[in-house]
Amino acid sequence: MMIIDADPIGRTLTASRFQRLFVASRTRRRFILSTKMPSSSSPHPQRRDRQHRALHSRALRLSTPRGGVSRGVPSAETGKRPVFFRSMAGNADVQWLRPLSSRPVPALAFGKKLASSWLWVASDVCKPSLPNHHMCDAFPLMRERRSFGSGPIVTYEEFLRIVARTGAIGRVPNSEQRACLEADPTIPTMIVAGPGSGKTTVLVLRVLRHILVDHLRPEQILITTFTVKAAREIRSRLIEWGEALFEQARTEPISETDREFLAHVDINRVVTGTLDSVCQEALGSDRHADEPPLVTLESFAATVILQRRGGLGASFRNNQAVLGAFLSPFTLDDDPPTTLAEAANTLVPIIDRFIQDRVDVESFGAADQPEAHRIIREIDSTYRRYLRENNLLDFSGLEEALLERLRARLIPILLADVRAVLVDEYQDTNALQEAIYFELVEACQASFTVVGDDDQSLYRFRGATIELFRAFIDRCRNRLGRAPAGPLYLVENYRSTDEIVAFFNAFVRTDPNFGPARIQPPKPVIRSNNGQGQVPILAMFRPDSQTLANDLTDFIEAVFRGSGYRDPQGRLINGLRGNREAGDLGDAVFLASSVLEMQKPYFGNPPKARFTHHLRNAMASRDMQMFNPRGRSLRDIEHVEQLLGLVLLSIDPPDRPGGSLYSSMAITNVAKFFMNRWVAAARQFLQTNPPPVYGRTLAQEMSEWRDYCLRGTGDKASSRDWPFLDVIYGLIPWLDYFEIDPEGQVYLEALSRAAGQAAGFSAYRSRLVRPQNPGSPNDHGRLSIEAIIRDVLTPLAENVIDVDEEIMPSVPRDRLNVMTIHQAKGLEFPLVIVDVGTDFTTNHPKNRFRRFPEQPSSTAMIEDLLAPFTPDLGALRTQRKGLDRSFEDLIRLYYVAFSRPQSALMLVGCDKALRWTSNIKNVALGWRQDERWAWLDQSPRPTGRRPPAMVSPPNLLFV
């Protein structure tokens, strides 16, 4: 019996997780420390830890940047690297914060005198009492410049021996990995890493090599990743392996000076994160005292500002015909956008590309260009001007701001001492990000290592430019004047069985037209290191989605809840089952190009259920659940409807004179439709008479908010204004779904993020103001409610808020993971089920772009549109035609999906696409761009007068 089980890679790390105390700048600056400390005798330790964490963020005016950048701090246990700063508080006993964990955190006690200035030094005492609002003048963070040795701590050969003797690492680098580790750090290095080939291992060990062999300090090393999950994984492994490796190295025959260095070195100080988060941390922490803080906008907030402040609203109303005709090729259905929201969603990728591709916008909108070009240039100019005037940045503007600093050689302190730059997933880098890396490496004279795989580039729709990776050798030589080492190849796969590796190797070589799009010389064939498995590639195809969902549920139940799956016809020699002790549904994942559970409604008809909806219901009938927070729109989820309806009844009740505000506001009919539906759902919920919580009823909570919003009276009237988030969280105790259900937690985060981001552009900063003249239409209380309806609730009703399931530290083990293929990038699972055609029962033109495009994708058309105005990038990108690039993106998408499994891969779809005479062409099923079908060619040829009903390639086992 083949056992499906996940590798035991989940680890809990007890490392210091607090931010740096103060961030240095070129001039001294003042900070106000808010020191209202919660009682240390609180009977609720978890609540107290949350209070401490929140206090820490408020007191230091720092928060972890979105995207996961992490920068370590001096060791909390030893205090061996105190941070110095001068006090203006006299001889007061200034103490620091309590720890976020059980470990002692150093306090700041009045101590030594150095260079005739009184300094605070870290002590081993931690007291809960702090004086209120101490004014401090921060010195630049003092880096220890003491020399720990003139040469390397160990040689490269000794480094490899230490790695082999370190139990926590548990592996010896293979010959390909050793070549990558050995590469000369004084010249750039290009590594092409196939799926499952150990690129994370190489990145982590190369960082450790920089410390031990090249004698760099951890804070001199920068690692950027494409996703937050990848950053977490690298950081987790870096800390675990680094501490063990340094401990092992101390037992080796090295000098006492180097032994002392290894005893004090803090691997947690390596800078890791996505490039966006690094930019945010670098720019935010390098701000002078008289500069306003930078605010980075979420995509929805940037879109709203584009509509209202960027001139899109007026331009669309005045030029709807011109803009509609221009934008229609970039919409999903090729129809002109009919609403402002649709126009904004279509225009945003173009405006983002202006910066990401470094477009000459003036030439794009010149007088000799089409009228739509000039209108869009003016919209972009107005939008960017508004962001500058209000100190706002979208993510592309954030990266551009860092590039401008680097070009002016005003390098932020976070990056000023960087001597090694390592970039993961370089194939998804855009032109702006490439420029940042080249400028940083040149300015700091840093070592430069890039790792990527052109076959796994998935993010062209976000501006990723695979052509930059393919041309890295030439571009690096031209830009930095140094010829890089490489490409060095990692092609030994440690993840998957022989059968799986052979399958995705064959798939990526199916279409000969894809060959020229790959890096040259082509990456060698991936080799499996796991040996032959016991399970061939499985395939489950049924006549319709409902039947497929039921049969797939039977299969999943047998594997994880029953005695295992056995092929009724005996073709599967050994069965397939989950590990009874540690295995669960979380060891499997369902991957699809789209995980939406309902189709888009057309012509007023109710939306049709898609396969994932049928699968959810089928699993629920067997007492199993799946985790698919992206599968449903926030506005359609029952519990979200109830919560938002309760919010409306609390702040905008229908018994207001003149009726509810939202019903008469100038918002879209779509928004009003969903708000009415939310209110109806809330009233149904109230009829269930929810029980009291902590002796308080839901009616009491809502009544207090109504009294405050309508008349400015009641218990809440003591405050002049309230954050809108207080309304949401005040109602949550009666909707425990948001506290106990993993999907509910993701949805609550999305609602909170929408309210929080609105504070950056909404008139009343997403706050409810106490009314002074309730009957007046100009009363600030009334206007603040209208602002919340317009800036928070309307975007939710118009479905422009995305969920972010990455807030979950891990996927629930007792649920089937449902992910888009893009989400699964970099992940692996014992059992992977790939949707290769559950939606494709006919050769409908509306879904051809997802399986066999007949024209370039909207992303490829945007690239072609901007190519003449991007001299550096346009010619490189358009070496391949737009239609070719669209096919290549589909091949890469399914190559990533097919290379995720460890033990078993299953393909699922509707069987109409497998008929011998099928005209439902699908790249995932082996169709080539020249309209030849590889699966048909591989199937046994018919011996009679009539062909078989279905194709049956020999490498698939149909179940």
Side-chain angles (χ1 to χ4, degrees), residues 361-378:
V361 181
E362 293 303 315
S363 297
F364 175 85
D368 59 343
Q369 295 299 320
E371 181 182 3
H373 285 213
R374 299 195 296 273
I375 295 173
I376 292 173
R377 183 199 63 179
E378 185 59 32

Side-chain angles (χ1 to χ4, degrees), residues 637-952:
I637 298 164
E638 177 186 5
H639 298 88
V640 174
E641 288 183 328
Q642 293 170 350
L643 175 59
L644 295 179
L646 294 174
V647 166
L648 281 170
L649 291 175
S650 298
I651 69 172
D652 187 23
D655 56 350
R656 173 189 292 274
S660 299
L661 296 178
Y662 76 84
S663 59
S664 58
M665 288 178 60
I667 56 178
T668 63
N669 291 331
V670 170
K672 292 180 181 179
F673 170 82
F674 281 98
M675 289 181 193
N676 287 330
R677 204 168 82 173
W678 297 344
V679 170
R683 285 174 172 157
Q684 283 187 332
F685 177 71
L686 289 171
Q687 290 176 359
T688 64
N689 194 22
V693 177
Y694 305 126
R696 182 178 176 82
T697 66
L698 175 58
Q700 287 176 309
E701 178 72 15
M702 295 177 64
S703 177
E704 289 186 4
W705 285 116
R706 280 197 296 268
D707 290 342
Y708 180 84
C709 294
L710 289 180
R711 293 172 288 275
T713 61
D715 292 343
K716 300 188 184 299
S718 58
S719 177
R720 179 182 177 276
D721 54 42
W722 286 91
F724 177 57
L725 277 173
D726 281 22
V727 181
I728 294 176
Y729 281 92
L731 299 169
I732 289 298
W734 289 272
L735 294 164
D736 58 359
Y737 167 81
F738 293 101
E739 296 180 340
I740 63 177
D741 190 276
E743 289 186 341
Q745 294 168 9
V746 174
Y747 299 144
L748 180 59
E749 187 276 337
L751 298 176
S752 303
R753 179 161 34 91
Q757 278 286 303
F761 62 86
S762 186
Y764 290 86
R765 304 188 64 81
S766 201
R767 301 180 76 87
L768 293 168
V769 177
R770 184 178 60 211
Q772 300 296 324
N773 187 7
S776 171
N778 297 320
D779 178 71
H780 289 294
R782 177 191 180 107
L783 295 177
S784 68
I785 296 172
E786 291 179 345
I788 287 172
I789 293 173
R790 181 175 57 253
D791 297 333
V792 181
L793 299 180
T794 296
L796 289 167
E798 293 179 343
N799 199 29
V800 297
I801 309 297
D802 293 326
V803 301
D804 179 17
E805 66 274 26
E806 288 193 349
I807 66 164
M808 304 296 292
S810 61
V811 177
R813 293 280 302 146
D814 60 345
R815 299 193 178 199
L816 173 69
N817 307 299
V818 177
M819 298 181 180
T820 65
I821 299 172
H822 292 86
Q823 289 176 267
K825 179 73 173 68
L827 304 180
E828 57 186 31
F829 295 86
L831 170 62
V832 175
I833 305 166
V834 182
D835 181 352
V836 293
T838 60
D839 285 338
F840 310 143
T841 57
T842 65
N843 189 26
H844 198 286
K846 291 292 186 183
N847 59 37
R848 288 176 189 166
F849 74 97
R850 292 173 50 202
R851 52 181 177 83
F852 198 86
E854 295 180 329
Q855 62 183 16
S857 66
S858 60
T859 300
M861 286 191 287
I862 291 175
E863 292 177 340
D864 291 342
L865 168 72
L866 300 179
F869 312 103
T870 53
D872 177 52
L873 187 61
L876 182 67
R877 180 176 280 158
T878 53
Q879 290 176 356
R880 302 283 294 172
K881 295 180 180 179
L883 184 60
D884 293 337
R885 300 198 301 274
S886 302
F887 269 94
E888 293 156 12
D889 289 343
L890 278 178
I891 293 172
R892 295 185 183 109
L893 182 73
Y894 285 100
Y895 177 77
V896 167
F898 297 155
S899 59
R900 297 306 96 197
Q902 296 168 312
S903 303
L905 170 64
M906 171 180 276
L907 313 183
V908 298
C910 292
D911 59 14
K912 293 181 181 178
L914 291 185
R915 291 176 181 173
W916 195 274
T917 58
S918 174
N919 65 344
I920 307 175
K921 304 178 185 68
N922 188 346
V923 167
L925 299 182
W927 282 86
R928 304 186 185 102
Q929 190 174 348
D930 61 6
E931 301 191 13
R932 296 189 61 185
W933 193 6
W935 284 20
L936 180 67
D937 296 340
Q938 297 165 5
S939 299
R941 308 312 298 174
T943 56
R945 299 178 62 181
R946 301 182 61 182
M950 311 284 285
V951 299
S952 54

Side-chain angles (χ1 to χ4, degrees), residues 233-284:
E233 169 62 20
I234 285 179
R235 185 157 199 83
S236 171
R237 199 178 300 186
L238 191 61
I239 293 174
E240 183 181 8
W241 288 9
E243 291 179 351
L245 189 72
F246 295 158
E247 187 66 28
Q248 177 65 35
R250 290 176 62 194
T251 66
E252 303 292 325
I254 59 177
S255 69
E256 288 302 317
T257 303
D258 291 335
R259 204 181 312 277
E260 181 185 356
F261 170 77
L262 293 178
H264 292 77
V265 70
D266 186 0
I267 192 65
N268 198 40
R269 292 186 63 81
V270 174
V271 183
T272 61
T274 65
L275 184 58
D276 284 338
S277 65
V278 170
C279 292
Q280 189 170 355
E281 171 75 0
L283 295 175

